[in-house]
Amino acid sequence: MTAPRVRLHGDLRAVYVLALCLPLAAAAAGAPPAPVRWTPSVLASDGYESSPSFSPDGDEIVFMRSDRNFAAWRLLQSRCERGRWSPPRPPAFASAEAGVDADPAFSPDGRRLYFVSSRHDPRREDLDIYVVERRGRDGWSAPRRLPAPVNSPASELLPRPTGDGRLYFGSSRDGGHGQGDLYLARSDADGRWTVANLGPPLSSAGNEYEADVSGDGRRLVAVIDRGDRSHLYRFERERGVWRERGRLPAREDVFQVGPLLSPAGDRLLFAQADGERSGELFLLDLVEAPDRRWPPACGAPSARPREGRD
């Protein structure tokens, strides 16, 4: 499959639906161990759960749920209460309309939550990055749309904030290297933003449109479509230069989406199709002895918050 340029709401859905419907051969014998399903039962459904983010204390999870065709997505939030995850409900700032909000991400200090939304577009096609501010334990400010050059006439996807105030995201805006590229935004003391394309090898002639980075800024996992469907690729930063370390083990016959790295970059959550469950969150160990306090188990100690530095 050659994925279309991800500019519009419908285009994003088309990428996922086409990927889901183009089966390939199973992984060869002797491949690395497969990821394991992680989604807690109270969060699972016959829909497609993806794109999770945890509060720094590990007591909240915000994620996206779509229908089986990866359409009509909504934001949901669950809290660790009396040792159990609560049934997920829409956060107060979420749109009541399906197919509008997606890709939530807590800031490392938990004071803000970023997401993408088409609420500003009467056609509900252009996804831009928004942010809400924490107002007490259960409250949030009204959503604020980030200005240009963070947002553009094209769609922005999967914002991932770092501890020093920068923001990784994907975009299919003009002037890139391919169908979609990865970008890094910085804000100065006066609130003015600058945005830079991350360049090769993170941006290429392929379609790179989602990424998450480890707390120390040295490991990154990107969702890339190189002509078959969207899969996960691993990168490491050495002497200031990003180097690709290959594709991560996951199903070949379906797409992967919504990567979330642990604070140490040693474990990865992502979503992929899962039979009758439609789509679920899967966990993959990236090293032999990862910090197993992450992902947060409700009622158990969690790993350190992300630092977000180079």
Side-chain angles (χ1 to χ4, degrees):
M1 178 192 75
T2 300
R5 187 176 177 89
V6 182
R7 281 185 175 278
L8 304 178
H9 219 168
D11 291 339
L12 176 61
R13 183 168 63 251
V15 170
Y16 295 143
V17 172
L18 286 173
L20 192 62
C21 295
L22 295 175
L24 293 177
V36 296
R37 186 191 305 125
W38 176 82
T39 318
S41 59
V42 71
L43 305 184
S45 73
D46 59 358
Y48 203 115
E49 283 75 41
S50 69
S51 308
S53 184
F54 295 98
S55 61
D57 60 10
D59 284 346
E60 295 174 74
I61 181 173
V62 180
F63 63 99
M64 184 174 89
R65 178 180 289 162
S66 310
D67 64 20
R68 296 181 64 86
N69 294 320
F70 213 89
W73 44 75
R74 295 180 182 274
L75 296 186
L76 295 173
Q77 181 178 24
S78 176
R79 232 181 245 286
C80 180
E81 297 176 345
R82 297 182 293 277
R84 297 181 180 179
W85 291 111
S86 65
R89 296 182 177 86
F93 60 84
S95 172
E97 181 182 351
V100 174
D101 299 335
D103 294 354
F106 279 102
S107 64
D109 61 10
R111 296 177 182 176
R112 296 172 302 282
L113 189 140
Y114 295 82
F115 63 102
V116 300
S117 180
S118 62
R119 61 181 65 198
H120 58 279
D121 182 1
R123 297 177 299 171
R124 299 294 190 258
E125 293 179 339
D126 176 44
L127 289 165
D128 277 354
I129 299 173
Y130 284 72
V131 64
V132 290
E133 308 281 340
R134 177 75 84 178
R135 297 287 186 266
R137 183 175 183 271
D138 298 310
W140 296 97
S141 68
R144 174 171 58 89
R145 186 181 173 196
L146 296 188
V150 178
N151 287 315
S152 74
S155 284
E156 282 67 51
L157 301 173
L158 201 78
R160 290 296 197 213
T162 66
D164 56 8
R166 297 175 301 163
L167 192 66
Y168 286 81
F169 64 95
S171 178
S172 57
R173 63 187 63 195
D174 289 338
H177 295 267
Q179 300 173 58
D181 284 349
L182 300 178
Y183 291 83
L184 182 61
R186 294 176 173 87
S187 178
D188 63 20
D190 297 321
R192 292 187 295 261
W193 288 91
T194 58
V195 173
N197 190 307
L198 288 171
L202 295 179
S203 296
S204 73
N207 188 8
E208 297 89 10
Y209 58 92
E210 294 185 346
D212 193 26
V213 66
S214 61
D216 62 7
R218 296 177 181 175
R219 301 167 186 84
L220 182 145
V221 171
V223 176
I224 306 175
D225 187 338
R226 292 180 171 171
D228 54 357
R229 56 179 50 76
S230 302
H231 294 303
L232 302 165
Y233 293 82
R234 185 177 186 176
F235 297 82
E236 293 182 359
R237 192 173 179 89
E238 296 178 350
R239 300 179 181 178
V241 177
W242 286 107
R243 302 186 185 280
E244 183 178 332
R245 298 305 186 207
R247 184 173 145 190
L248 291 170
R251 286 180 58 181
E252 293 186 5
D253 59 325
V254 298
F255 65 84
Q256 289 83 46
V257 69
L260 180 68
L261 279 166
S262 65
D266 56 358
R267 305 189 97 186
L268 177 72
L269 277 178
F270 65 92
Q272 67 179 4
D274 188 35
E276 292 302 317
R277 292 170 177 255
S278 182
E280 295 292 332
L281 301 176
F282 282 76
L283 178 63
L284 177 64
D285 289 344
L286 302 179
V287 299
E288 289 186 4
D291 185 344
R292 299 189 182 279
R293 294 175 296 167
W294 192 94
C298 184
S302 62
R304 286 188 307 110
R306 305 156 66 94
E307 297 297 334
R309 57 182 184 273
D310 280 331

